[in-house]
Amino acid sequence: MANHDLVLGQNPDLVLGQNHDLVIGQGHGLGLGQRHGLGLGHAHDHDLGLGQAHDHDLGLGHPHDSRLVLGQQHHHPHDHGRDHSNELALGQNNDTDEDALDAQNHELGLSDNHELTLAETHGLGVDQNMVHLSIDQAQELGLQSTHDISQGHFLVPQVLQTRRLIVNPDNQLTISQEFSDVKSCRRAIRDAAIACRFEIQTVKSDKTRFTAKCAAEGCPWRIHAAKLPGVPTFTIRTIHEMHTCNGINHLGHQQASVQWVANSVEERLRENPHYKPKEILEEIHRMHGITLSYKQAWRGKERIMAAVRGSFEEGYRLLPQYCDQIKRTNPGSIATVYGNPEDNCFRRLFISFYASIYGFVNACRPLIGLDRTLLKSKYLGTLLLATGFDGDGALFPLAFGVVDEESDENWIWFLSELHTLLEANTENMPRLTILSDRQKGIVDGVDFNFPTAFHGFCMRHLSELFRKEFNNDALVKLLWEAAHALTVIEFEAKILEIEETSQEAAFWIRRIPPRLWATAYFEGTRYGHLTANVVESLNNWILEASGLPIIQMMECIRRQLMTWFNERREASLQWTSILVPSAERRVSDAIECARGYQVGRANEAEFEVVSPHEGTNIVDIRNRCCLCRGWQLYGLPCAHGVAALLSCRQNVHRYTESCFTVATYRKTYSQTIHPIPDKSLWKEMSDANQEGDNKIEVLINPPKSLRPPGRPRKKRVRAEDRGRVKRVVHCSRCNQTGHFRTTCAAPI
C-alpha cells in the first residue's frame, strides 16, 4: 500500500511515506505524529495484536492512542513523563528500568536513508524470553536473530518458550504438599502433566520414592516425592518448575491411560451407567483438550462398571448363592444352576418366581410363547424365555433360562424344567397352546414334555422368513390377512390373491401346513394371539440387561417383574367394570354391531342370526360357539353370539372366559415378587441359615465361550445380492461352516 508500509525483515528498514513523522516522546515510546497515524489497511477500527497480551493494541489510522506491543504484561516502573498512549514494548514479563533506556541520553530516530537507527553507544534492552512475532499477508513484521541492533540493524536473539507447570489451582503442585500414598502422588503429578500439556517420564518409583522428569529431551523440569518416616504419607521434596520445551504437539497424551480415563468419568458413570464411550471421548476432549481412541474410553468405562456392578467372573462364581437367596426371599420359587461336571464351567440356569407360577397356573390363559435373545456380555450365552398372557393381553413372564449356547439339547432341557414346574404346581396339567419359531430343538422338546399341546408357528418369525425370501410388502400383508382369516373360505381367498401376485410365493407358503399357523385350520385356542414376540415386546429393557454380568442381568429382570406386578395390581384396583378394559371394549363393539342383526330362536340354546352383509350364522349359547368361529377362537362372544344372548335377555358378561374378568386379573398379580438383599450380605445369611449343616459350597466358573474381539459386525444384505448363491466358508478353529476363525464364538 502506498505511503503506509512498515517493513522489518532481512533488511530491517522502516519506511514511512511522505509527511509521516516518527516522533519519540519523553518516555521513549514509539510516538506517531498528530498529523499522520501508521496506517495498515483502513483508517479506522483496525487493531493489530502482537503476542499474547489482550489489552495492548496497535491503533491503525488514529492520530492518538496508538501502541505497538510485542510480548505480554510489560511493566515500566520508571516511566515518569512517558506518553502512555504511544509505546513500544518488547519481551515477556519485561521490566524496563533506567539502565535499559535512559530518558535523556538515548535517542531513537530516522537517518537520512530512512533507516531505524540507535546511537552507537546505546543499546535496546530485550528480555531473553522474547517470543516470535509475525503478521500475516502483506503486513509482515519479521524479527530475525541474525541482525544486530546497530548501524540500522534490529537484533532479536533466539528465545525458548517458557511455561510454568500450574494452569489450574486444582492441579497445583508445591513443595511439602502431602498425599495419602504413592498412588495418590502419582495421580496428582499425572493430572498436572495432562493439564499443562507435557508428558513425563518416571525415573524412579517404589514404595518410598517417586521421581519423574519431563519426557522432552533436555528439558530441566523435574519432581521428586518421598515417604515421610513413620507415616504412610508422601511429600513433594523438590520441584524444578520451569520448562524449556515446547510441550507436546500431538492430540493424545502418554499419561492418559485407561485408569486415568476411568478416574475422570467415574462420578459421571455412577450417576448414569448408560454414559456412552463416544460421550466420554467428547467430555475428555472438552475438559482436557486431548483426543483418545474409542477403545480407551470403552475400557475405562468397563473398568468402572466392573467396580460398580462386579465383574463377569464374579457373577458366575456367586450364582449358587444368588439362587439360594431367590428361594429364601421368594419361597416356592425355582432357581437352579448347572455346571459341567469336569471343570464346573457354567452351563445352565433356570429361574421362575413363585408369583409368576401362581399367577399363570391360577389366572392366565393356557397359552405360552417361547423366544430367546443372544446375550452381549463378555461370555456370550443365550437367554431363553417362556411367557404367558394375562387377561388384558399383556405379556406375563413365567420362566427364564440362561444357557452357554443355543442348541437343541438346551431347548429340550428348558422345556423339561418348564414341565416339572407346571406339574409340581397343578393337580391337572392344562392342555397348552405353545407358539414358537418351531426350530428342531423346540419341536422335540414340546413333543417330549407336552405331547398333548397345540404347537403353532409364531407369525412374526414366519412373516420375517417370508419377507426375506420375497421382499414384497403387499405379499406380507396378504400373508397376515390369511393368518387372521377365521374360516377356510376366507383363508383360501387370500392364498389365491397371493398366487395372482406371485406363484412362487404361493408355492412357498403352501409348503408349510396351515394347521401350524393359519387361524382357520389351527386346532388350539390362541385367543387372537398369533405371535410370541416376547423379546420384541421387552425390547426396551431386555436388550440393555443382556450386556450385564449374569447376576446383574437377572436382577434387572427381577426388578422389572416386581415393578410390573405392583403397577398392574394397583391399576386393577381402580377398575369398576366386570371385564378387563380390552375385553370390555371388544364386547361393547360386538353389542353395537349386533343392533342390526335379526335373530331367530330354534330352542333354548340354538339361534339363527341373520346379518345384512354376512348372511346367516348359527349360534349355540350353551356350548359358546358360533358358525363364524369368533366366539370359540377369542373366548369372547362375537357379534352374532351377543345378538342371540340379548334376544333371550341373557347377561353377555357371564358368557365370557373367566380369564377376562377383573376378579381373575387381580388374582393373576395377587402375589408379590420380593426384593433380594445386597450381595455383601449373602454369605452372612447363608451361614446363619445353614448353622450346623455341612453344605458343600459349589463354585461355578465362567463358560469357555468368549466374545470375539472388536465390534460385532452388522449383517447387511444388498439388493443385488438377494438370491445369489453364497460361498460356503469354513472355520479352522471349530471345523464348522458359516463363519471364519476370527468371528468364532464356539466353546473351546
Side-chain angles (χ1 to χ4, degrees), residues 467-471 716-726:
R467 183 187 298 276
K468 289 180 180 179
E469 188 71 23
F470 299 101
N471 193 28
R716 299 181 59 187
V717 181
R718 298 177 298 178
E720 58 269 22
D721 290 339
R722 297 184 184 276
R724 181 181 300 177
V725 178
K726 296 182 179 180

Side-chain angles (χ1 to χ4, degrees), residues 34-69:
Q34 296 183 357
R35 291 180 293 112
H36 302 282
L38 178 60
L40 298 178
H42 296 288
H44 302 286
D45 301 331
H46 292 274
D47 298 332
L48 177 60
L50 306 178
Q52 299 181 8
H54 298 286
D55 297 328
H56 302 79
D57 302 325
L58 176 61
L60 306 180
H62 196 280
H64 301 289
D65 300 331
S66 302
R67 304 161 67 184
L68 175 62
V69 182

Side-chain angles (χ1 to χ4, degrees), residues 37 64 82 112 114 128 234 237 277-278 326 369 419 491 637 737:
H64 301 289
R82 182 171 58 90
D112 294 338
H114 303 287
Q128 294 299 317
F234 264 68
R237 298 293 183 87
K278 182 179 179 180
I326 290 178
H419 177 269
F491 173 81
T737 58

Side-chain angles (χ1 to χ4, degrees), residues 57 59 73 91 96 170 299 305 331 351 382 405 414 468 488 577 583 644 661 664:
D57 302 325
Q73 299 181 0
T96 306
D170 296 336
R299 291 175 61 193
M305 297 310 297
I351 292 179
T382 304
E405 61 176 345
F414 181 72
K468 289 180 180 179
V488 174
S577 59
T661 62
T664 302

